[in-house]
Amino acid sequence: MSNKFIRLILIILVVGLLSACTGNADNQSTYYLVDPRFSELYDRLQGDEILGPPISNKKYVAGSNLEKQYFEGAVLVYDPDNSPRYYLDPVGIDAGFSDLPNNDPENPAVRYINGYIIPPEFSRFFDEMGGERWVGLPLTRARFNPERNTIEQYFETMGFFRFEDDPPGTVHLMPYGLWKCAGECAKYPGLENAGISRSASEDIQSPFGEVISRFGTQFTGDALSTAFRAGDGNIEQIFHNVVLYEDSTNPLGASLRPVSALLNLDRDPYQVYQKDSAEYFREIEPGNGFYIPAYFMDFIDRYFGFEISGEPISRHEEIREGVSQQCFENYCLLHDALAEPGQQVRVQPLGQKYKDSFYQTTKKPAIEAQIQRDIQLDIWEQSPQLSSQENQQIGACIHESGSPLENARAVLTVTTENQGIITYPFSPTDSGGCSFLELDPIQAQNGTTIDYQVCFQGIGGQEYCKKDSYLIWGNTDKVLTAVPVQEEPVAPVVVVEVVIDTWELFPQISSSEHQEVGACVHKNDNPQENMDSQLILESPSAGVITYQSPPTDGGGCSFFKLNPVDAKNGETIPYQVCFVNKYGEQFCKRDSFLIWGNP
C-alpha cells in the first residue's frame, strides 16, 4: 500500500471524525469558531496549522469553573481559580499510554526525558511547541506503526507522528482532541476511529500498591521507573530509596533488592560481641556481627525487621558532625541528630545509582550514538546529605581503558525545584584524571533529593555523562524549608524578547534601614501590565524571605519595600524578582545590594 494512499485514508478518516464531532450528521458543513477565551493561546500554539480546527464550542465543566474547547490535536482548558490559569488537558494520561522506559543514554546528545528517548525530529518539535509546559512529559518510546507507516510517540497533552518518508522537520499531531471528544461527547466516535494506537510493548501494572501503602512513600521514596520485568523474570520497580520486586515467598508479596550489595558498597570487617555492651548486637556468625544503635533498631522493627532490611554490612559510623550512617543489605540508614523528632532517621536514596547500573530491560534503539571509546566515569559528592546552608563538593574522574585523561573538561548540571537547572564548569582534570568543584548552598525542604549530572565534553567529538544525587537534610527553622517553585521560562513558538529591569533605592545600606526595590518587565519593548510579581531575598541570618507586590502597573512595574537585613558590613545581599503571566510562565532576574554603614 502506497504512502499516498495511506495519507488519503487518514484524511478521509479525519474528515469523517470532524463531521461526527459537529453533533449534526445532516449538516456536514457546520464549523466551529475559536472562542475568544482561547484565541491567544490557540495562535501561540500555531493554531489551525498544528492544533487543527476547533471541533466543539466552548464547554463549561459541571461542578467547577473550568472552561474547555476541543481542537483536533488538543484540548485547551481555562481554570480561573488556579495558577497557571491556562493549560492543556492531559489526554495521553487519561488514555493510559505507557511503555517500558528506554535505557539512560550514554551519549547526552540524545534527548532523554522521563525515562524515554525523544528522536531529533520530535525533540525539535517538542521545543517549538513549548516543551514540557505545553506538550507535557513523554509517556512512550518513539515506535514504528506498520499499519500506517508512521513513527509515533505519545506525550501527556499531545501525541507526535510523522510518515517515514516525510521531509526532514515534518511532524504532525495525533488527534488527541478527537479522542477526548469521544470520551466526553456522546455522539462522537471512539478511540479506534481517532487513529491512536496503544503501546505494543508488554503492559505491566505495578503489583506494589498495597506494599507501598504499608511502607509509605517516606520509606520507598518516589518512583524512578514504572513496573517492568527484570532479567530474572520477576516484576520490579525502582524507587528513590529502595528497589521492590515481586516475591511470592514473602507474606507481603514483595521483597527488596539487595542494593547495597549489588552496588558493591564497602563491607566492614565484623565486630566482636562484648558482654558488657548495652547496644544491640546482630550476630551474623558465632560471636561476630555488628552493633546497631537503638534509633536504627526502632526503624528496622517499624518496617518489618531484618527480613526487609537484610543483614548489616557495615559499622555504625559518623560521616560528618551530627550525622551517622549504617548500611544493610537492602538499604542504608542515615541519622541526623539535629533534625526534628520523628525525622531523624531516613533511608539513603540509592535508587538512582541502582537504576544507572542495572536498569537494562530494553534494547537501545538505533538512534543512540554508538560509543567506540572505552571511557570510564566516576562521580561522587562529599556529603550524601547536607542542609541548605552548606556547600556541597563534587568530584569527577575520567579514565580511558584504565588510564587517566588529563586536561579533560567537564560541566556539572544540578536540577533543583526552586532554581531550575544550574550549570557549573569544572577545572581541567589533573594528572589523575580528576577535578573538583564546590556548589553554592541549595534552598530546598528537608528530604529533597538533588539530582546532578557530570558531562565530559569534546572527547572524540562526543560527550560522556553520569548522574547521581544527594539529600537535603538538617535544615533548622531559620533555613528555607519551602520556596515557591520557579519554572523555567517556556520557549514560545514566536520568538519574543522579555526584558526585566531591577534597581534598588540604595546600592548600599545599613542593617537598620529599609531597602526599596523596583522592577519593570517589557515584552518586545511593550510594558506588561497586571503580571503577578514576587521578590525572593537571601538573608544570611534569616534564610530566604519572600515579598509579594500588587500586579504590575501600566508601565509594567512593581515596587517592594524590604525589611532591614541583619548582616555584617561588606556582605552582599542577593535577591531575585520574578514576574508570572496568565499562562503560568515565569520570568526572573537576579540582583544584589551591599550592607554597609553598620556601627
Side-chain angles (χ1 to χ4, degrees):
M1 186 180 293
S2 70
N3 290 336
K4 290 184 179 179
F5 184 67
I6 293 172
R7 281 190 176 90
L8 178 61
I9 292 176
L10 286 176
I11 292 170
I12 294 172
L13 172 65
V14 170
V15 170
L17 284 170
L18 290 175
S19 300
C21 283
T22 64
N24 184 355
D26 298 327
N27 183 8
Q28 295 188 7
S29 63
T30 300
Y31 291 93
Y32 294 102
L33 299 177
V34 179
D35 189 270
R37 172 71 73 192
F38 298 106
S39 59
E40 183 180 345
L41 179 57
Y42 181 69
D43 292 339
R44 182 184 185 85
L45 297 176
Q46 302 187 60
D48 186 71
E49 180 182 354
I50 299 298
L51 294 187
I55 58 175
S56 78
N57 288 318
K58 182 177 72 174
K59 294 178 177 292
Y60 295 90
V61 179
S64 73
N65 292 323
L66 294 181
E67 301 174 19
K68 291 185 177 183
Q69 188 168 15
Y70 296 83
F71 298 83
E72 181 183 319
V75 182
L76 276 54
V77 184
Y78 173 73
D79 182 357
D81 300 327
N82 294 288
S83 180
R85 293 189 290 274
Y86 286 89
Y87 61 91
L88 271 60
D89 218 353
V91 178
I93 295 177
D94 296 342
F97 300 131
S98 65
D99 265 343
L100 292 178
N102 297 116
N103 291 340
D104 190 348
E106 296 176 1
N107 184 356
V110 176
R111 192 74 172 272
Y112 184 73
I113 301 175
N114 195 36
Y116 299 102
I117 290 171
I118 305 179
E121 299 286 357
F122 288 170
S123 179
R124 285 190 287 270
F125 190 66
F126 177 83
D127 292 334
E128 288 176 8
M129 295 303 294
E132 185 179 334
R133 173 66 180 90
W134 296 113
V135 181
L137 297 172
L139 300 174
T140 70
R141 292 172 286 162
R143 55 178 182 262
F144 180 67
N145 186 336
E147 295 179 3
R148 297 184 176 84
N149 200 35
T150 56
I151 300 167
E152 304 173 352
Q153 188 165 23
Y154 296 90
F155 296 76
E156 290 176 330
T157 64
M158 297 182 188
F160 296 172
F161 78 93
R162 65 188 310 270
F163 290 98
E164 197 174 27
D165 61 350
D166 268 334
T170 303
V171 179
H172 316 278
L173 285 190
M174 299 296 293
Y176 268 23
L178 295 176
W179 182 88
K180 191 66 174 179
C181 182
E184 297 193 6
C185 308
K187 296 182 180 180
Y188 298 165
L191 170 63
E192 291 76 17
N193 293 329
I196 298 179
S197 62
R198 291 188 178 273
S199 169
S201 65
E202 183 181 8
D203 185 16
I204 298 177
Q205 298 296 321
S206 173
F208 304 117
E210 183 179 351
V211 175
I212 295 170
S213 66
R214 296 182 69 177
F215 282 148
T217 55
Q218 185 175 2
F219 175 82
T220 63
D222 294 333
L224 293 179
S225 77
T226 56
F228 62 95
R229 194 168 300 281
D232 61 3
N234 291 309
I235 296 177
E236 180 175 306
Q237 191 168 8
I238 303 172
F239 298 83
H240 264 297
N241 299 338
V242 298
V243 179
L244 293 175
Y245 73 96
E246 200 169 30
D247 182 3
S248 59
T249 66
N250 190 307
L252 295 173
S255 294
L256 271 63
R257 292 288 191 195
V259 293
S260 300
L262 292 171
L263 292 173
N264 295 318
L265 299 186
D266 292 338
R267 288 179 174 266
D268 291 340
Y270 289 141
Q271 295 173 293
V272 178
Y273 175 66
Q274 305 291 332
K275 292 183 179 180
D276 56 348
S277 175
E279 280 193 319
Y280 175 82
F281 184 78
R282 179 67 175 179
E283 189 175 66
I284 298 176
E285 61 181 37
N288 294 323
F290 291 100
Y291 282 99
I292 304 175
Y295 41 76
F296 284 168
M297 279 304 306
D298 289 343
F299 185 93
I300 291 169
D301 290 340
R302 192 185 326 139
Y303 291 102
F304 308 102
F306 288 102
E307 185 176 2
I308 294 300
S309 70
E311 298 293 347
I313 65 170
S314 70
R315 303 179 181 216
H316 172 238
E317 62 174 348
E318 188 173 56
I319 57 177
R320 62 188 181 90
E321 185 177 357
V323 179
S324 58
Q325 172 183 287
Q326 188 167 17
C327 286
F328 301 79
E329 289 176 320
N330 300 336
Y331 57 71
C332 293
L333 292 178
L334 294 168
H335 177 261
D336 185 349
L338 299 178
E340 296 179 5
Q343 298 184 7
Q344 293 178 332
V345 177
R346 293 186 62 85
V347 183
Q348 186 175 347
L350 297 176
Q352 186 63 54
K353 292 182 180 180
Y354 176 90
K355 184 180 180 183
D356 292 342
S357 300
F358 298 102
Y359 198 33
Q360 305 292 333
T361 59
T362 57
K363 183 178 179 181
K364 293 183 181 180
I367 61 172
E368 291 190 47
Q370 298 298 315
I371 307 300
Q372 302 295 331
R373 299 178 67 165
D374 182 19
I375 298 294
Q376 302 90 41
L377 299 185
D378 294 292
I379 63 175
W380 66 95
E381 66 276 357
Q382 184 181 38
S383 302
Q385 66 172 36
L386 43 67
S387 75
S388 291
Q389 287 184 320
E390 297 175 283
N391 298 82
Q392 179 69 275
Q393 187 181 82
I394 303 295
C397 296
I398 182 167
H399 292 74
E400 182 170 14
S401 301
S403 300
L405 292 181
E406 190 174 359
N407 291 323
R409 294 184 177 273
V411 171
L412 172 76
T413 54
V414 181
T415 303
T416 69
E417 293 182 358
N418 305 322
Q419 298 169 271
I421 297 177
I422 309 172
T423 302
Y424 297 86
F426 280 89
S427 299
T429 54
D430 56 24
S431 59
C434 299
S435 185
F436 304 86
L437 62 78
E438 189 173 81
L439 310 186
D440 297 326
I442 293 178
Q443 303 298 318
Q445 295 179 336
N446 280 335
T448 301
T449 299
I450 304 299
D451 297 313
Y452 66 90
Q453 177 175 268
V454 176
C455 289
F456 281 87
Q457 303 170 325
I459 301 174
Q462 299 187 46
E463 288 188 334
Y464 297 86
C465 300
K466 195 168 186 179
K467 295 180 178 180
D468 210 331
S469 63
Y470 61 91
L471 190 70
I472 296 295
W473 197 254
N475 289 338
T476 60
D477 291 341
K478 289 187 177 181
V479 180
L480 171 68
T481 57
V483 174
V485 174
Q486 300 176 5
E487 298 179 1
E488 288 187 58
V490 177
V493 174
V494 179
V495 177
V496 296
E497 182 182 10
V498 176
V499 177
I500 298 175
D501 295 303
T502 60
W503 67 95
E504 58 276 350
L505 185 61
F506 305 104
Q508 61 182 41
I509 194 172
S510 74
S511 291
S512 62
E513 298 174 285
H514 290 270
Q515 178 67 278
E516 294 184 26
V517 172
C520 298
V521 58
H522 290 71
K523 183 169 73 173
N524 293 344
D525 295 329
N526 296 315
Q528 299 300 294
E529 189 175 1
N530 291 323
M531 288 186 72
D532 294 333
S533 57
Q534 181 184 70
L535 183 146
I536 300 174
L537 180 140
E538 301 171 23
S539 165
S541 59
V544 172
I545 305 171
T546 301
Y547 295 89
Q548 302 288 343
S549 175
T552 53
D553 58 24
C557 299
S558 290
F559 300 90
F560 304 85
K561 185 173 182 179
L562 314 184
N563 294 325
V565 178
D566 183 14
K568 299 177 182 178
N569 282 336
E571 286 195 85
T572 298
I573 307 302
Y575 66 88
Q576 177 173 265
V577 177
C578 291
F579 295 94
V580 182
N581 66 15
K582 65 181 181 181
Y583 300 118
E585 299 168 337
Q586 197 167 44
F587 306 92
C588 301
K589 185 175 182 180
R590 295 182 66 86
D591 209 331
S592 63
F593 57 89
L594 186 70
I595 296 296
W596 198 258
N598 290 337

